[in-house]
Amino acid sequence: MTEPDRQAIAGQHDHWDSILSDNPDMYGLDPSESALAASARFGEVGAVTVLELGAGQGRDTFHFVRRGFDVTALDFSHRGLASIESRADQMGAVVRCRRHDVRSPLPCADDSFDACYSHMLFCMALTTDELVALMAEVRRVLKPGGLVAYTARNTSDAHYGEGIDCGDDMWEHGGFIVHFFSPELIERLSDGFEIIDRFEFTEGGLPRRLISVTMRKT
Ligand SMILES: C[S@@+](CC[C@H](N)C(=O)[O-])C[C@H]1O[C@@H](n2cnc3c(N)ncnc32)[C@H](O)[C@@H]1O
């Protein structure tokens, strides 16, 4: 495995702040397909508290709020979180926002969430070691039997192997570093969980090719 390009990775925080600032509705206002599927699944098991990792500008956050979940939205971009807070104010909705870089331990108590949801955060500029540590943190903050539903761009995506090689299956394209998920990485991240659902889907114009994985804490 090629060593990760730490310098390129370090620039991603400022990149995301500026992208989310320049594009107020970067991914639109409608919820993603993955949020629709995850909220249905979380509802079936009676989940109430949901931790969302990499919430961006909140297109999915507000879907969970409208469905009656108690949502904590986490992102390292204060620009993204500012959009969520201002929209929550306009709606009179309650969303707990936490500014946090997921490369550090999650700022949450053990066994405190029924479910964790994350659309396209795991495939950001996170090394394999950081992803393993992050998933262990997700497991820690989930209640026993809690669910995690995450999506990530995968190695069948058109941008995989294109642009600048940042090491560790990460490639930079147009300023965005993406970690493309292989089947082996998905297996590795399932340690301590049971995979209960897994499917490929596409999103956007490219289109992005993504894997959706839902797991239960064992
Ligand atoms: C591809 S966007 C997806 C946003 C949102 N989930 C959506 O689908 O609309 C990825 C998000 O992850 C955030 N992010 C990237 N790296 C992060 C990190 N190390 N810690 C916390 N958030 C991060 C970015 O700021 C951005 O909001």
Side-chain angles (χ1 to χ4, degrees):
M1 187 197 341
T2 328
E3 275 304 298
D5 182 341
R6 305 271 171 197
Q7 202 179 343
I9 289 172
Q12 288 293 288
H13 172 263
D14 290 351
H15 179 67
W16 273 106
D17 254 354
S18 109
I19 286 290
L20 295 179
S21 168
D22 295 348
N23 302 276
D25 292 320
M26 169 92 180
Y27 295 100
L29 294 173
D30 295 332
S32 65
E33 227 183 278
S34 58
L36 300 178
S39 62
R41 174 77 72 158
F42 294 169
E44 280 162 19
V45 298
V48 176
T49 48
V50 175
L51 172 66
E52 183 183 8
L53 301 177
Q57 293 158 326
R59 63 171 166 159
D60 292 341
T61 314
F62 289 100
H63 172 69
F64 283 101
V65 168
R66 284 190 299 268
R67 291 288 305 266
F69 294 100
D70 175 340
V71 185
T72 298
L74 184 150
D75 202 288
F76 72 176
S77 165
H78 79 274
R79 300 284 190 179
L81 293 178
S83 302
I84 295 177
E85 279 165 346
S86 122
R87 201 168 149 200
D89 272 355
Q90 284 164 19
M91 290 169 63
V94 177
V95 181
R96 268 171 286 281
C97 288
R98 304 296 298 262
R99 186 175 173 204
H100 180 80
D101 187 326
V102 296
R103 288 171 291 183
S104 299
L106 295 175
C108 313
D110 295 357
D111 301 340
S112 50
F113 290 95
D114 297 314
C116 174
Y117 169 75
S118 187
H119 186 29
M120 294 193 291
L121 173 274
F122 280 81
C123 57
M124 293 290 97
L126 302 166
T127 65
T128 297
D129 287 348
E130 287 164 347
L131 287 168
V132 168
L134 171 58
M135 200 56 97
E137 276 295 285
V138 168
R139 191 173 185 285
R140 178 183 67 76
V141 305
L142 279 177
K143 293 179 187 169
L147 298 183
V148 51
Y150 76 90
T151 72
R153 287 172 76 177
N154 66 28
T155 49
S156 50
D157 190 284
H159 280 171
Y160 178 56
E162 297 290 327
I164 303 166
D165 184 357
C166 296
D168 200 5
D169 268 349
M170 289 183 281
W171 293 82
E172 185 196 312
H173 208 275
F176 296 94
I177 298 180
V178 175
H179 191 145
F180 293 91
F181 272 43
S182 63
E184 294 73 30
L185 180 55
I186 293 163
E187 282 310 313
R188 189 156 172 208
L189 295 181
S190 68
D191 191 32
F193 293 92
E194 171 198 4
I195 296 181
I196 55 176
D197 194 22
R198 168 184 174 151
F199 61 90
E200 287 198 39
F201 68 108
T202 60
E203 185 181 278
L206 182 59
R208 300 181 201 95
R209 300 191 78 87
L210 295 128
I211 183 88
S212 164
V213 182
T214 306
M215 310 192 290
R216 184 183 293 115
K217 174 175 168 176
T218 53

